[in-house]
Amino acid sequence: MGDLAGKNGLIVGVANKRSLAWAIARAADEAGARLTLSYATERFEANARKLADTLATPPQLVACDVTNDAAVAELYRQVDETHGGLDFLVHAVAFASREAISAPFLETSRADFAQSLDISAYSLVALARGAAPLMERRGGGSVVTLTYLGSERVFPHYNVMGVAKAALEATVRYLANDLGPLNIRVNAVSAGPIKTLAASGIPEFSRILQHYRESAPLGRTVDADEVAAAACFLLGPGGRGVTGEVLMVDGGYHATGM
Ligand code: NAD
């Protein structure tokens, strides 16, 4: 049995087999967790169901648009009904409109800015608030979100998503402070670039991948399984002393100057 044996986990953000949420779901399943997987809309249900069937322990599947408070409440009602409490939450959700990542950042509209921050950063607040009482009943818990170095540095076309990731990382620290007394830890994994559905919307993404291959100390990009392994470390007993942290999983790219 693995590190997450007997643990109940909720993983939000499964779109398809390339999703980082799905890589984390596979790793958590292998580590013995009982899971609820959540996807944005019915459009992703068939995909999620096909993937779910391949796990060792069949997960519960729930649709949830994270911008809808009633949907978030219903998600936690179902998690509690099925699992009776929660030990970990993985937040792997982000969105920026095509216009917002195509045009210069200066042109970002108020509506695109608000939508991106709502889906990509505020949703962590809403999901952590829903998780807290279920985790408190289990004596504590662990929350992990996914971020990117575009929060601190400028990357081509990352634009409003960089601002959203900066807000997300600050959110991690404030939530860690509020939830620490309940023995709930809150951390982020900052992943290097990986070709997923969300990433494929970023123009010139392959140029970013190539730049990492040329510059990262490991001389390569990372894959989804490496991100999942780091997330499971933070979710499990190995991470029990870690909270408010952004863990870089990018082949060391962030450490380089040139
Ligand atoms: P992905 O497209 O598979 O996942 C993004 C998910 O967000 C999808 O499941 C999508 O349906 C969901 N989503 C969007 N709007 C939503 C809403 N309103 N309600 C509920 N769900 C919604 O791509 P991914 O790369 O696996 O992204 C997961 C996380 O990892 C994101 O936060 C992303 O920014 C982050 N990340 C990705 C990379 C990368 O290079 N792929 C690098 C660093 C961080």
Side-chain angles (χ1 to χ4, degrees), residues 13-16 18-21 40 44 64-67 92-95 119 146-148 158 165 191-194 196-199 205:
V14 178
N16 60 30
R18 289 177 187 271
S19 294
L20 299 184
F44 297 103
C64 177
D65 175 346
V66 296
T67 63
V93 171
F95 182 80
I119 296 177
L146 290 158
T147 187
Y148 179 61
Y158 206 61
K165 291 304 191 192
I194 298 171
T196 61
L197 185 63
F205 189 73

Side-chain angles (χ1 to χ4, degrees), residues 10-248:
L10 167 61
I11 299 182
V12 182
V14 178
N16 60 30
K17 65 175 188 206
R18 289 177 187 271
S19 294
L20 299 184
W22 172 241
I24 297 169
R26 268 189 284 120
D29 176 69
E30 265 172 37
R34 283 184 296 261
L35 298 174
T36 295
L37 304 184
S38 180
Y39 47 88
T41 64
E42 312 305 337
R43 184 159 79 85
F44 297 103
E45 183 175 347
N47 263 349
R49 202 162 291 284
K50 217 162 47 192
L51 293 171
D53 284 346
T54 65
L55 294 182
T57 308
Q60 168 171 243
L61 295 174
V62 183
C64 177
D65 175 346
V66 296
T67 63
N68 179 334
D69 287 333
V72 171
E74 174 58 18
L75 170 64
Y76 281 111
R77 194 195 63 72
Q78 292 195 40
V79 167
D80 208 14
E81 189 176 271
T82 304
H83 298 305
L86 191 65
D87 299 294
F88 67 84
L89 162 69
V90 175
H91 171 273
V93 171
F95 182 80
S97 74
R98 192 163 288 275
E99 296 71 47
I101 53 175
S102 307
F105 177 67
L106 184 65
E107 305 301 331
T108 310
S109 71
R110 191 182 300 273
D112 282 347
F113 189 99
Q115 183 190 36
S116 184
L117 273 281
D118 184 17
I119 296 177
S120 314
Y122 181 76
S123 60
L124 180 63
V125 183
L127 286 167
R129 191 164 56 234
L134 278 67
M135 290 181 172
E136 190 178 3
R137 272 196 270 124
R138 303 273 294 177
S142 177
V143 177
V144 168
T145 186
L146 290 158
T147 187
Y148 179 61
L149 185 60
S151 61
E152 290 177 26
R153 303 196 207 159
V154 174
F155 286 87
H157 299 293
Y158 206 61
N159 294 4
V160 71
M161 190 52 73
V163 178
K165 291 304 191 192
L168 181 70
E169 290 171 24
T171 297
V172 163
R173 293 184 281 274
Y174 278 91
L175 289 175
N177 186 60
D178 277 4
L179 294 172
L182 300 179
N183 193 32
I184 298 171
R185 300 180 292 106
V186 186
N187 293 290
V189 171
S190 184
I194 298 171
K195 210 155 189 119
T196 61
L197 185 63
S200 66
I202 299 171
E204 295 188 274
F205 189 73
S206 48
R207 189 154 77 83
I208 300 178
L209 285 172
Q210 187 54 28
H211 180 61
Y212 269 69
R213 287 187 198 107
E214 287 161 7
S215 310
L218 292 185
R220 60 175 179 84
T221 55
V222 295
D223 66 27
D225 291 337
E226 291 171 323
V227 173
C232 285
F233 156 72
L234 290 169
L235 296 174
R240 65 192 177 281
V242 184
T243 195
E245 179 66 336
V246 177
L247 177 60
M248 306 302 301

